[in-house]
């Protein structure tokens, strides 16, 4: 149980285009989903927290107009990188939790490798 | 505020040897602690989790961790390393808003 998928697993796009990444909880309802960014050989950096049906909460320093997050249902959240540039190239990972509280387990997706040319 | 420190960014052991990955935390409230493993180009997989109760937590793949409040530690161990254990390991503490605060990670290398 507690499987989270991401699509696509890998995407290459041209500078200036937008890219959408999907995160789905396959066997449970995810009240809360988290989006992370990971640079090579580094830890995960939380970008934003999204709750179903409400606006995402972004971490300090993350541009909300650049990284659009939509959590339209209890099983799907999307991250859209708008007007992507080479510096946006990274590994993006989502996680999902059935609740948002202290100690609730987050289940992670397999990640999406974004390369912007 | 919560924080996590993983001592040793890189640990190398021989196959069959004891694995010990160190994690110390700081938390102003009773901590909820996690260990995750990440294989190359993949997401994170939960190894084990401490909430309350028994301080020795058993996880998947033969790993276990012991919560020591007096030492603010949550070290991960495995009696005998396998080649397949080579990966990146992350210790994390849950914030009071449900966010995870991660350590910097420890790369485990297993030598034949």
């Amino acid at each position: 149980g507690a499987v989270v998928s991401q699509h696509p697993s890998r995407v290459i796009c041209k500078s200036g285009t937008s890219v959408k990444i999907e995160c789905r909880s396959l066997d449970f309802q995810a009240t809360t989903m988290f989006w992370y960014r990971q640079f090579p050989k580094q830890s995960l950096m939380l970008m934003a927290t999204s709750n179903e049906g409400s606006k995402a909460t972004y971490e300090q320093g993350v541009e909300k107009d650049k990284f659009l997050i939509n959590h339209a249902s209890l099983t799907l959240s999307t991250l859209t990188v708008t007007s992507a540039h080479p510096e946006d190239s990274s590994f993006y990972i989502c996680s999902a939790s059935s609740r948002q509280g202290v100690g609730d387990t987050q289940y992670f997706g397999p990640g999406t490798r974004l390369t912007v040319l | 505020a919560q924080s996590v420190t993983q001592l040793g960014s890189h640990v190398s052991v021989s196959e069959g040897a004891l694995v010990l990955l160190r994690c110390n935390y700081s938390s102003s409230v009773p901590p909820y602690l996690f260990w995750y493993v990440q294989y190359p180009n993949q997401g994170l997989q939960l190894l084990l989790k401490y909430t309350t109760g028994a301080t020795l937590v058993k996880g998947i793949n033969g790993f276990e961790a012991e919560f020591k409040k007096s030492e603010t530690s949550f070290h991960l161990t495995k009696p005998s390393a396998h080649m397949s254990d080579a990966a990146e390991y992350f210790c994390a503490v849950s914030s009071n808003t449900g966010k995870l605060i991660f350590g910097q990670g420890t790369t485990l290398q297993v030598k034949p």
Side-chain angles (χ1 to χ4, degrees):
Chain A
V3 178
V4 177
S5 69
Q6 273 184 251
H7 179 80
S9 59
R10 184 180 295 267
V11 57
I12 301 172
C13 68
K14 293 182 178 180
S15 185
T17 61
S18 294
V19 174
K20 179 183 285 189
I21 302 170
E22 291 186 349
C23 177
R24 294 181 184 273
S25 57
L26 300 184
D27 53 2
F28 68 102
Q29 292 187 325
T31 302
T32 306
M33 287 185 169
F34 302 84
W35 287 94
Y36 296 85
R37 184 173 180 177
Q38 186 180 33
F39 292 102
K41 305 295 184 183
Q42 293 190 25
S43 189
L44 282 72
M45 181 191 78
L46 179 65
M47 299 175 65
T49 303
S50 72
N51 290 291
E52 186 264 339
S54 59
K55 290 184 178 181
T57 302
Y58 290 81
E59 295 299 300
Q60 190 173 8
V62 177
E63 301 175 61
K64 60 183 65 176
D65 294 331
K66 181 167 188 61
F67 299 99
L68 301 179
I69 292 172
N70 184 284
H71 192 161
S73 76
L74 285 172
T75 59
L76 173 65
S77 177
T78 60
L79 167 67
T80 301
V81 183
T82 62
S83 186
H85 291 285
E87 58 265 30
D88 298 324
S89 298
S90 192
F91 193 53
Y92 293 86
I93 308 175
C94 72
S95 71
S97 178
S98 57
R99 299 181 299 177
Q100 185 184 0
V102 179
D104 290 328
T105 300
Q106 292 183 28
Y107 297 96
F108 285 80
T112 296
R113 175 77 58 193
L114 171 63
T115 303
V116 184
L117 303 177
Chain B
Q2 290 85 3
S3 67
V4 174
T5 301
Q6 291 183 240
L7 300 176
S9 60
H10 190 99
V11 171
S12 182
V13 301
S14 298
E15 190 174 19
L18 172 71
V19 175
L20 171 61
L21 304 182
R22 299 178 186 273
C23 172
N24 287 88
Y25 69 91
S26 172
S27 179
S28 56
V29 297
Y32 292 85
L33 296 158
F34 303 78
W35 275 100
Y36 285 90
V37 61
Q38 184 180 33
Y39 297 99
N41 295 308
Q42 294 187 28
L44 275 65
Q45 181 181 11
L46 179 67
L47 281 176
L48 48 81
K49 168 184 176 181
Y50 170 77
T51 54
T52 58
T55 57
L56 183 62
V57 182
K58 294 187 182 299
I60 62 171
N61 302 339
F63 285 94
E64 62 183 35
E66 186 171 11
F67 170 66
K68 292 187 176 181
K69 183 178 179 179
S70 61
E71 298 178 8
T72 61
S73 69
F74 190 56
H75 302 331
L76 181 71
T77 60
K78 182 174 181 177
S80 176
H82 294 167
M83 296 297 293
S84 60
D85 294 327
E88 188 79 13
Y89 291 80
F90 292 98
C91 180
V93 64
S94 178
S95 76
N96 55 6
T97 60
K99 298 178 185 178
L100 286 178
I101 312 300
F102 285 94
Q104 288 305 302
T106 298
T107 302
L108 176 63
Q109 179 187 25
V110 182
K111 298 177 291 185

